[in-house]
Amino acid sequence: MPHLSTTLIHADDKNNRVSDVAPPINVATTYRYDNNNLIPWAEQDEMTVLEGEPVYSREAHPNCTRLESIFSEILEGHAVVYNSGCSAYHAALVHYNPKRLFIGQSYFGCQAIADMITRNYGLEQHPLEDIEKYAQKGDLVHIETPVNPYGTSIDIQEFADKAHSKGALLLIDSTFAPPPLQKPWDFGADIIMHSATKFFGGHSDLLSGVLVVKDQTAAREMRHDRIHLGTIIGNLESFLLMRSLRTFEMRVLQQSKNACKVVKFLEENKEKYNKVIRILYHSSLQTEPFVTKQLAGGSTPVFSICLMDQGQCKKFVSKLKYFQHATSLGGVESLVEWRAMSDDTIDQTLLRFSVGCENAADLISDLANALDSLQGSN
Ligand SMILES: *Cc1c(COP(=O)(O)O)cnc(C)c1O
């Protein structure tokens, strides 16, 4: 098996349709049939009908096919690519159609999708603590780790064991730690999901999501559902995402290393900034043994701090030069978000940071400036 960086650049070579080294952008929604080889839909093999020449871009299109080749290799399963992370999560709920969903702290968009299904079809929802009490065969356990917005980890193996002992499946949202940072298959996950908008996209300029499963039939069925849900990745986005993937490994490794340096600085200076920093959260500060086993390739580039009050949060974000004050994460540019701006369910003094690919020393001095100024003005 070639290594991650090689796979990112070559896993889709088999899908070349032209001699161009850079894959072309395909904007066509519809493709001419081959009039010398006309096989009606009814006579085609239902399982492989999407795997031939492209017909209509809501079904499949060349750069989505290339992306699925790359993601299937790097995520070690059968990958299905969507037009957002939320679409990917919705697709998983539609496909697995659980009677009960066990869900913990997780992205609020995923919770909102589950709530819609509960509202319309009566999906039962339970906290993770109740898996042993209520879970049955065919149910779904949804965990997110490292978890939004903290960037801290929970034990995947523990939830896999609990789910499996009841015949339920474990879906993990691994958006905060894509490979090589974390490989959820090693700890018993059944379905892996990523918002590719974040680290895979990496340039804050596209929306996409991906689901990965070990079972080829399930992946094919989800591609069939996707035709009519209308949730395939857009043509232009598929080109942008593929271009991003070529450099994905170096970006995410740099982001992870930078984040650890920044968090180390904050941890070591918590006393110095004792009028500003109240709590600091990051997987690199956790001491449970499962954390380093799970994040074998490095910590997540996302961490959070809670300040003393909301007024400090407003001032802090305005004093930063490199950390842009915006929602989202995973891009080459460092971001900070006062989470109260977009999430009313979380501590309203929490700032979430997504560390980018800038130089770590520059990022630390940016933070130190803002911290000095707030510490001094108290
Ligand atoms: C952003 C995000 C999502 C949703 O992805 P979109 O691409 O924005 O739809 C899901 N889970 C996590 C952990 C995320 O950060």
Side-chain angles (χ1 to χ4, degrees):
M1 271 284 281
H3 296 86
L4 177 59
S5 54
T6 309
T7 307
L8 288 163
I9 297 171
H10 291 291
D12 57 319
D13 284 349
K14 61 176 187 254
N15 304 120
N16 279 330
R17 304 164 84 234
V18 293
S19 61
D20 305 23
V21 169
I25 301 171
N26 300 106
V27 292
T29 52
T30 189
Y31 294 80
R32 276 183 279 274
Y33 290 118
D34 175 2
N35 285 339
N36 298 313
N37 186 26
L38 295 173
I39 306 167
W41 182 271
E43 290 169 28
Q44 295 193 39
D45 175 0
E46 204 185 307
M47 292 302 281
T48 57
V49 66
L50 291 178
E51 288 156 32
E53 288 300 306
V55 173
Y56 185 58
S57 68
R58 179 155 45 68
E59 300 173 356
H61 53 81
N63 285 337
C64 179
T65 302
R66 297 183 82 115
L67 281 175
E68 289 181 345
S69 292
I70 302 171
F71 278 125
S72 294
E73 292 280 331
I74 67 169
L75 299 173
E76 299 175 44
H78 299 280
V80 188
V81 177
Y82 293 89
N83 58 7
S84 73
C86 282
S87 289
Y89 188 66
H90 181 232
L93 290 185
V94 169
H95 177 79
Y96 290 96
N97 192 24
K99 292 217 166 33
R100 279 158 291 268
L101 175 70
F102 297 81
I103 182 166
Q105 169 73 33
S106 53
Y107 186 73
F108 60 91
C110 295
Q111 292 175 16
I113 291 167
D115 289 347
M116 283 181 236
I117 295 181
T118 296
R119 180 187 74 204
N120 290 351
Y121 313 112
L123 169 72
E124 269 182 45
Q125 291 188 50
H126 297 284
L128 295 175
E129 293 71 35
D130 286 350
I131 297 171
E132 278 142 319
K133 216 187 309 175
Y134 298 123
Q136 295 180 33
K137 192 167 184 317
D139 289 348
L140 202 60
V141 174
H142 173 60
I143 63 168
E144 182 179 306
T145 186
V147 70
N148 181 49
Y150 307 105
T152 50
S153 286
I154 60 170
D155 190 341
I156 303 171
Q157 187 74 58
E158 178 193 330
F159 290 101
D161 292 345
K162 282 185 183 162
H164 296 160
S165 75
K166 295 288 180 171
L169 295 173
L170 179 69
L171 185 161
I172 165 166
D173 183 341
S174 194
T175 299
F176 274 43
L181 308 183
Q182 171 169 281
K183 296 187 173 179
W185 297 132
D186 296 348
F187 308 98
D190 299 294
I191 307 142
I192 301 175
M193 164 195 155
H194 289 271
S195 166
T197 308
K198 312 296 167 54
F199 294 100
F200 289 130
H203 297 76
S204 309
D205 59 2
L206 66 95
L207 290 174
S208 176
V210 57
L211 281 181
V212 203
V213 291
K214 288 288 191 187
D215 174 11
Q216 185 170 34
T217 305
R220 282 175 165 151
E221 286 170 357
M222 289 193 286
R223 284 190 203 110
H224 273 265
D225 284 354
R226 188 184 61 187
I227 298 175
H228 303 111
L229 291 171
T231 48
I232 196 169
I233 186 171
N235 292 35
L236 283 171
E237 282 81 354
S238 64
F239 171 83
L240 287 171
L241 180 51
M242 188 162 37
R243 183 179 171 130
S244 292
L245 287 179
R246 306 303 192 202
T247 56
F248 162 71
E249 188 185 26
M250 21 184 161
R251 283 187 282 108
V252 78
L253 289 176
Q254 169 88 355
Q255 288 172 276
S256 172
K257 278 188 210 137
N258 279 354
C260 290
K261 288 183 192 165
V262 169
V263 168
K264 184 163 180 280
F265 165 80
L266 294 172
E267 176 69 10
E268 286 172 356
N269 289 279
K270 253 177 20 193
E271 260 317 296
K272 179 174 172 196
Y273 298 120
N274 63 1
K275 292 182 187 162
V276 191
I277 300 175
R278 193 161 53 84
I279 318 174
L280 172 60
Y281 296 102
H282 189 235
S283 59
S284 68
L285 303 174
Q286 288 179 281
T287 52
E288 302 100 306
F290 77 83
V291 179
T292 44
K293 261 202 315 195
Q294 249 171 229
L295 289 168
S299 276
T300 175
V302 182
F303 71 90
S304 284
I305 57 180
C306 292
L307 304 190
M308 296 299 165
D309 57 53
Q310 298 193 24
Q312 273 191 342
C313 294
K314 287 187 195 172
K315 277 190 210 143
F316 192 93
V317 294
S318 72
K319 294 196 182 301
L320 292 166
K321 185 165 68 168
Y322 297 130
F323 287 87
Q324 314 285 302
H325 188 206
T327 196
S328 199
L329 54 104
V332 291
E333 58 291 298
S334 291
L335 299 181
V336 59
E337 184 185 22
W338 178 31
R339 280 300 280 176
M341 293 298 294
S342 63
D343 187 351
D344 61 1
T345 68
I346 221 80
D347 187 322
Q348 299 290 289
T349 66
L350 184 139
L351 300 176
R352 184 183 71 187
F353 293 81
S354 169
V355 180
C357 291
E358 301 93 337
N359 180 286
D362 293 335
L363 295 177
I364 289 170
S365 72
D366 196 20
L367 288 169
N369 278 336
L371 289 164
D372 284 335
S373 139
L374 284 175
Q375 178 81 10
S377 69
N378 270 291

